[in-house]
């Protein structure tokens, strides 16, 4: 299975979650928090797959970050150094 095929499957899963949550909201007037968390996880996985190999794990802090942005974690092997409040963390 290719990366593009996986992304298409994740897109379909996201669409199903959105439709189910809309149906739940229309029928009961509320949404499911757990469903939204799962939808967010699917969306994050889709983003990471679409950005590979631009998304990497920091050797110091272990957090994933997008190499298009500076990563500041303050670790010894971190090229930029700094704090954890930066753009680019996934």
């Amino acid at each position: 299975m290719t990366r593009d095929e996986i992304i298409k499957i994740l897109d379909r899963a996201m669409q199903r979650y959105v439709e189910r949550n809309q149906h739940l909201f229309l029928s009961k007037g509320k949404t499911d928090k757990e469903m939204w968390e799962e939808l967010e996880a699917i969306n994050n996985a889709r983003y990471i797959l679409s950005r590979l190999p631009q998304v990497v794990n920091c050797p110091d802090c272990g957090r994933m970050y997008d190499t298009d942005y500076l990563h500041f974690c303050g670790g010894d092997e971190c090229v930029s150094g700094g704090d954890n409040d930066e753009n680019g963390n996934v």
Side-chain angles (χ1 to χ4, degrees), residues 8-77:
K8 284 181 185 179
I9 291 170
L10 291 173
D11 285 342
R12 289 195 316 256
M14 285 176 51
Q15 183 61 34
R16 279 196 309 275
Y17 270 92
V18 169
E19 289 171 1
R20 287 181 191 160
N21 228 3
Q22 287 175 344
H23 177 70
L24 180 64
F25 181 75
L26 292 174
S27 65
K28 299 196 179 203
K30 64 179 184 173
T31 59
D32 183 354
K33 180 183 177 194
E34 192 172 290
M35 192 181 294
W36 277 114
E37 289 172 350
E38 291 168 355
L39 180 60
E40 183 179 15
I42 291 170
N43 188 45
N44 288 340
R46 186 199 174 287
Y47 174 76
I48 290 167
L49 279 175
S50 70
R51 296 291 297 163
L52 288 175
Q54 291 94 337
V55 175
V56 296
N57 285 74
C58 174
D60 291 317
C61 69
R63 290 181 72 181
M64 289 185 292
Y65 69 97
D66 189 326
T67 57
D68 287 345
Y69 298 94
L70 292 176
H71 174 69
F72 300 105
C73 73
D76 293 336
E77 294 185 37

